[in-house]
Amino acid sequence: MRIVIFGGTTEGRLLSRELADLGAEVTVCVATSYGREEQGGYPGTAVFSGRLDALEMRRVVAGMDLCVDATHPYAAEASQNILEACRQEQVRRVRLLRGQSEIPENAKVFADASGAAEWLKSTCGNILLATGAKELGVFSALGGERLYPRVLPLQESLAACEAAGVPRSNIIAMQGPFSQELNEALIRQFEIRYLVTKDGGRAGGFAEKAAAAAAAGARLILIRRPAEDGLDYNAVLTQCREMITCG
């Protein structure tokens, strides 16, 4: 049984190892070198890193018995490309969804980063951006001095901060997960008034961020997840196990 997993999430890593243990031939695709490091090596799995265009994605899924889309909940474009590649190559696709979080009542929720940035234009005070480096450009119009982006300690992340006009003293280059206590300490250290984040679920530390914002007096600004259909981890594992057993 040949299975390709488009990963980059905790769930994708766990699934790849469970399926390899069941005897599947597993290929894991991750977008970045950081994702490759997180995935690590494991018997029965082959790992490839790098962003794939539409043709390359079709080549990866061609001949596979199953494709599992375990990309990040906010990677809407990647998920759409995976869906299309599987349709064209007639490969069965399963979308692995991360559980959503309970959103605090006082959170300000927006459909996308642009909406959050537009609303923040009318506010004052420092902003902790826990949305990753990709959206930094959207928030740059607020002024780099206000922004305190928490990004992965990678050269491309630092380059994105520089392009957005963020002073080096404002950059928080750290690898998670982060405890509530650490989140609180950062909010207080940098006098943060607004914490902007996505719902990364339990694995993404959303609960710790929300609790820290409440405890330290920062307003929580949430970018809502794109709507999509899929299955939770246990349901995907069950389907894969049945395919391997019957195959």
Side-chain angles (χ1 to χ4, degrees):
M1 177 69 65
R2 300 182 67 202
I3 300 175
V4 58
I5 299 175
F6 288 90
T9 59
T10 302
E11 294 88 345
R13 291 192 293 275
L14 293 175
L15 183 66
S16 68
R17 293 169 185 178
E18 292 213 53
L19 297 184
D21 287 341
L22 290 170
E25 181 182 337
V26 181
T27 298
V28 180
C29 295
V30 293
T32 65
S33 58
Y34 172 77
R36 185 185 183 94
E37 291 175 9
E38 285 287 282
Q39 176 68 33
Y42 196 80
T45 65
V47 184
F48 298 97
S49 62
R51 302 191 186 279
L52 304 177
D53 60 28
L55 181 58
E56 290 169 332
M57 200 168 282
R58 284 188 62 181
R59 288 172 177 164
V60 169
V61 303
M64 293 291 176
D65 298 298
L66 178 68
C67 172
V68 179
D69 177 3
T71 56
H72 194 274
Y74 289 80
E77 183 178 354
S79 285
Q80 183 58 41
N81 290 338
I82 293 166
L83 177 63
E84 181 61 20
C86 290
R87 186 191 66 79
Q88 292 177 347
E89 295 299 326
Q90 299 183 23
V91 173
R92 181 180 176 185
R93 165 198 172 268
V94 177
R95 173 61 169 144
L96 195 165
L97 294 181
R98 176 176 286 180
Q100 297 195 40
S101 304
E102 182 176 347
I103 307 304
E105 292 184 1
N106 64 340
K108 190 73 175 176
V109 182
F110 295 91
D112 52 33
S114 296
E118 184 64 29
W119 184 84
L120 285 165
K121 284 182 180 179
S122 62
T123 67
C124 298
N126 294 339
I127 302 166
L128 175 58
L129 291 177
T131 56
K134 285 186 178 180
E135 280 84 8
L136 273 175
V138 177
F139 294 96
S140 61
L142 299 173
E145 294 290 341
R146 290 186 68 189
L147 305 180
Y148 289 78
R150 187 164 69 190
V151 296
L152 290 172
L154 301 172
Q155 185 58 46
E156 51 263 42
S157 299
L158 299 180
C161 291
E162 182 178 359
V166 178
R168 293 185 178 181
S169 58
N170 288 20
I171 300 172
I172 306 168
M174 302 175 68
Q175 177 180 336
F178 305 99
S179 65
Q180 177 182 337
E181 291 75 15
L182 180 53
N183 283 316
E184 283 188 46
L186 291 173
I187 291 170
R188 294 193 169 98
Q189 172 70 27
F190 297 111
E191 300 180 345
I192 299 298
R193 293 285 302 278
Y194 303 94
L195 192 163
V196 185
T197 187
K198 299 174 179 177
D199 176 15
R202 181 177 179 181
F206 177 80
E208 289 78 4
K209 286 183 279 190
R219 183 75 184 273
L220 185 67
I221 310 298
L222 177 67
I223 300 172
R224 185 186 295 116
R225 283 191 192 183
E228 58 178 342
D229 296 320
L231 302 172
D232 65 18
Y233 182 88
N234 289 329
V236 172
L237 178 59
T238 297
Q239 284 199 11
C240 292
R241 184 182 288 120
E242 290 174 351
M243 288 185 65
I244 294 170
T245 301
C246 297

